[in-house]
Amino acid sequence: MIINIEELYTAFSQIMTHKRWWDTDNKWEILLGAVLVQNTNWRNVDYALVNLEEATQFLPEKVLALDKEQLQDLIRPSGFYKGKANTIMALLTWLEGYHFDLAQVARKEFSALRKELLAIKGIGEETADALLVYVFDHSTFIADKYAQRMFERFGFAAAGYKQLKSQIMWPETMDTLKAQNLHGWIIEYGQVYLKNDELWQSGPLKDFKLKLRTTSD
């Protein structure tokens, strides 16, 4: 179990700017982007979001009112558009049951809400956690590919998303803003220093040490 996430956050805070990963306050835009970014890069997502904004202003009622083929055409630049259209429709239909009241959904207990999100077809572990952190103002560790590769560099190799997440002791001191910052910083740092060994060794966090608690402690 990794027990010094707060120390990692502090180390990042000393070298990174407080740049938000999602440069918008529109939670519907974030929600749609979290689905669209699956298995693609953000440049492609931007094209799809521009189309959605022009057609629907990101209003969930307007997105749901689209024919499936219309939605597929709008999000086509993001790739895998048929599956993503189905996921968006399923996610928004679920939220319609809450009258599209994101604040009401956010008040649900964390594990119960995460379970509901994972029950929606097309919402996996990473997307669920991104929605929890960026849309519903909860706090949790997003164990994405950059995190997995970075923690392997720190000496902790994990076999995928669930295993890494299960080994993180997430401190109560890590609030929503800190969860957002850490996620964004890991990606931003990883895009520069995780490309190869030489770049990693030139990075300011190359000597950071994870602290592990064993079962015998």
Side-chain angles (χ1 to χ4, degrees), residues 176-192:
T176 300
L177 181 60
K178 286 185 175 182
Q180 293 177 357
N181 284 340
L182 183 62
H183 173 242
W185 289 339
I186 287 174
I187 293 173
E188 191 176 346
Y189 189 92
Q191 288 173 339
V192 176

Side-chain angles (χ1 to χ4, degrees), residues 3-14:
I3 61 173
N4 63 329
I5 291 298
E6 186 73 59
E7 288 181 17
L8 178 60
Y9 182 88
T10 299
F12 265 119
S13 71
Q14 292 169 353

Side-chain angles (χ1 to χ4, degrees), residues 4-29:
N4 63 329
I5 291 298
E6 186 73 59
E7 288 181 17
L8 178 60
Y9 182 88
T10 299
F12 265 119
S13 71
Q14 292 169 353
I15 61 170
M16 306 293 280
T17 59
H18 287 264
K19 171 182 158 187
R20 296 187 304 174
W21 179 238
W22 258 296
D23 190 22
T24 178
D25 292 317
N26 187 326
K27 291 193 173 185
W28 293 108
E29 180 181 357

Side-chain angles (χ1 to χ4, degrees), residues 49-103:
L49 287 174
V50 167
N51 292 343
L52 280 171
E53 184 175 24
E54 289 178 354
T56 69
Q57 298 77 54
F58 301 128
L59 296 173
E61 299 90 343
K62 286 192 174 184
V63 178
L64 267 185
L66 294 169
D67 293 334
K68 187 177 290 187
E69 290 75 17
Q70 289 177 305
L71 179 57
Q72 288 176 2
D73 284 342
L74 292 170
I75 67 171
R76 189 181 294 267
S78 71
F80 303 98
Y81 55 90
K82 290 184 178 179
K84 290 178 182 180
N86 290 336
T87 300
I88 287 170
M89 289 296 194
L91 179 58
L92 293 181
T93 299
W94 170 71
L95 285 165
E96 189 177 27
Y98 293 96
H99 309 288
F100 300 119
D101 186 344
L102 296 178

Side-chain angles (χ1 to χ4, degrees), residues 114 125-127 129-130 133 140-149 151 158-168 170 182-183 186-187:
R114 192 172 192 270
E125 301 267 339
E126 182 176 338
T127 304
D129 286 337
V133 169
T140 192
F141 183 71
I142 301 174
D144 63 12
K145 292 291 186 184
Y146 281 105
Q148 292 168 42
R149 290 168 59 200
F151 277 62
Y161 191 100
K162 290 181 73 171
Q163 186 183 15
L164 177 57
K165 186 177 177 70
S166 71
Q167 293 303 307
I168 300 292
W170 192 246
L182 183 62
H183 173 242
I186 287 174
I187 293 173

